[in-house]
Amino acid sequence: MSSIRVLRGVYRNKTVKNVAFSLVKGYQTGARGGYITVDSDGYFGPEFGVVRIRVDGIEDFEYVNGDAVKAVKAKAVEAKPVETEEEAMSRIRERFEILTEMTKAATAGDIRAMIVSGPPGVGKSYGVEQEVDKATMFDKLAGKRLRAEVVKGSATPIGLYQTLYKYSDANCVVVFDDCDSILLDDVSLNLLKGALDSGKKRKISWLSESSTLRREGIPDQFDFKGSVIFITNLKFDTMKSQKLRDHLDALQSRCHYLDLTLDTMRDKLLRIKQIAKDGVLFQDYDFEPEAQDEIIDFMHTNQNRLREMSLRMALKIADLRKSFSSKWKLMAETTCMKPV
Ligand SMILES: Nc1ncnc2c1ncn2[C@@H]1O[C@H](COP(=O)(O)OP(=O)(O)OP(=O)(O)O)[C@@H](O)[C@H]1O
Ligand SMILES: [Mg+2]
């Protein structure tokens, strides 16, 4: 295997300068420009193996002998203490505890706005909904008007205005779960900016004439005193489009931003193990402990082939394990995995 030294390159927004690697595949160009494929061997963290480093052209790297790579590897091992499984588990648990605490604070009106970001199926909605349910339980039992609502899917600007009006009182919370359309729409975003501004008064106005609002007796301006939680798969920090970033920065600056940081395969798998170990993930299945372990082992073994590594996927496989006791693996292979 030949070795190269990257003189100038970028990997995951990190600059790579004068670092030697074993070369896996030479210079290629793709939709996002040129890159070379190298075995990073833990240089970017223990979970990163073969990676593509973006370079502008062949002048950005040079061929070197293997010793240079060994020296880099030794340095990387020395510099980066490897996070143990226990450490990673407690980091992840902590993030979810923060999610619970922040949601609690939002329902208590202590926090005005929060954005929760993370990959699909890891428990964002679950964590927030659990707290919102707790907060509204008594109102529900008493048949009173609820002071919190979870809005899922898309919302038009006027729909957003109506929802904000409905929950404009000081103790109200609106959760926008997977409503990315409102984060990407100019009119909606401006409404949200007004609703979440840090001044004492947060006035929102609907500027055009609307028969819908008139019909429902909604004024064309009001003060918003409630709290808002956004749940999204969008990663604000690494958004590519500059226009979008500027836009979202304005919102982010008004919100607490919680990235659950479950970005690596290892982290996702650990989260699944964690919830399974806590005894809650598979609690509705009446599985023997071995059955749970079999599912987790199966996911571990096939981590690179599964369409998604998530709690949701674990539950799908559990469904199959329950219904097809002898051929669940075959069924899972057919329905949950990418074809080879
Ligand atoms: N702490 C938990 N204990 C038990 N089950 C959980 C837990 N967290 C999540 N789940 C289950 O995992 C599945 C996925 O969780 P959830 O829907 O909250 O994911 P999500 O992060 O909101 O995903 P998406 O971004 O796709 O909306 C759900 O079926 C949920 O019931
Ligand atoms: Mg969700």
Side-chain angles (χ1 to χ4, degrees):
M1 193 186 270
S2 45
S3 307
I4 50 107
R5 187 197 317 274
V6 176
L7 302 173
R8 284 166 299 271
V10 176
Y11 179 64
R12 291 197 160 205
N13 293 330
K14 274 198 221 89
T15 308
V16 184
K17 202 170 168 194
N18 290 330
V19 188
F21 299 100
S22 303
L23 185 66
V24 174
K25 196 152 193 229
Y27 182 74
Q28 290 167 278
T29 48
R32 290 169 55 213
Y35 61 90
I36 47 169
T37 311
V38 302
D39 184 359
S40 67
D41 206 5
Y43 181 78
F44 298 105
E47 59 279 11
F48 296 100
V50 173
V51 300
R52 287 172 172 179
I53 296 182
R54 279 198 277 145
V55 289
D56 284 338
I58 53 171
E59 64 287 350
D60 282 357
F61 63 95
E62 63 187 13
Y63 285 84
V64 291
N65 77 32
D67 291 345
V69 178
K70 281 191 205 122
V72 166
K73 165 111 174 98
K75 220 163 143 196
V77 169
E78 201 183 304
K80 289 201 177 72
V82 179
E83 190 183 36
T84 65
E85 212 161 87
E86 283 75 40
E87 284 166 348
M89 284 238 198
S90 64
R91 165 174 54 83
I92 295 166
R93 197 182 286 283
E94 198 171 74
R95 287 281 158 147
F96 278 88
E97 280 166 7
I98 294 174
L99 175 64
T100 305
E101 279 165 32
M102 298 279 280
T103 310
K104 224 180 251 170
T107 55
D110 296 334
I111 278 180
R112 188 172 286 188
M114 162 167 83
I115 300 168
V116 184
S117 151
V122 296
K124 300 182 297 299
S125 305
Y126 182 94
V128 171
E129 271 172 29
Q130 235 186 2
E131 286 312 310
V132 169
D133 283 350
K134 269 190 218 162
T136 53
M137 193 171 65
F138 289 112
D139 290 347
K140 244 181 219 153
L141 290 175
K144 281 207 278 191
R145 204 184 81 127
L146 298 187
R147 58 189 186 83
E149 181 173 321
V150 180
V151 180
K152 291 196 183 203
S154 68
T156 56
I158 195 154
L160 172 67
Y161 185 85
Q162 285 170 299
T163 307
L164 290 173
Y165 177 71
K166 193 169 160 198
Y167 294 96
S168 56
D169 286 345
N171 59 351
C172 291
V173 184
V174 194
V175 180
F176 294 103
D177 190 355
D178 283 328
C179 292
D180 293 345
S181 63
I182 64 167
L183 299 178
L184 307 176
D185 174 88
D186 283 351
V187 178
S188 298
L189 207 60
N190 282 330
L191 288 175
L192 288 170
K193 281 193 209 168
L196 304 176
D197 223 343
S198 36
K200 276 224 163 53
K201 281 226 166 203
R202 297 179 272 155
K203 197 181 277 306
I204 316 182
S205 316
W206 187 260
L207 295 175
S208 50
E209 160 65 24
S210 159
S211 54
T212 316
L213 295 185
R214 216 173 333 114
R215 204 167 45 238
E216 307 212 350
I218 299 178
D220 54 14
Q221 67 176 37
F222 63 91
D223 285 335
F224 182 77
K225 302 190 189 82
S227 302
V228 177
I229 298 176
F230 301 96
I231 305 177
T232 176
N233 297 136
L234 299 178
K235 247 178 133 44
F236 281 43
D237 297 337
T238 52
M239 206 67 94
K240 295 276 163 355
S241 139
Q242 188 59 41
K243 176 173 175 275
L244 207 57
R245 281 212 55 165
D246 292 346
H247 228 52
L248 292 175
D249 279 351
L251 188 64
Q252 198 174 357
S253 108
R254 290 163 168 77
C255 295
H256 295 275
Y257 184 74
L258 178 63
D259 184 341
L260 292 170
T261 62
L262 283 173
D263 297 319
T264 64
M265 185 64 85
R266 178 183 186 235
D267 281 358
K268 289 178 196 162
L269 202 54
L270 286 177
R271 176 70 183 155
I272 297 169
K273 279 189 190 167
Q274 189 168 65
I275 305 288
K277 214 158 104 192
D278 289 349
V280 277
L281 184 59
F282 300 123
Q283 64 187 356
D284 297 337
Y285 290 88
D286 293 327
F287 282 146
E288 303 290 323
E290 302 85 66
Q292 291 200 23
D293 292 345
E294 271 176 39
I295 295 171
I296 306 279
D297 286 348
F298 178 80
M299 294 185 80
H300 190 114
T301 312
N302 296 294
Q303 52 180 286
N304 292 321
R305 284 192 57 206
L306 287 171
R307 288 185 190 279
E308 178 184 289
M309 182 57 78
S310 67
L311 294 168
R312 200 174 281 135
M313 180 58 85
L315 294 173
K316 276 189 211 166
I317 298 175
D319 285 342
L320 299 173
R321 175 79 179 71
K322 181 132 191 111
S323 313
F324 307 99
S325 55
S326 61
K327 54 172 183 170
W328 63 276
K329 285 188 183 172
L330 183 67
M331 303 297 268
E333 202 169 331
T334 319
T335 61
C336 305
M337 290 189 196
K338 294 172 251 184
V340 260

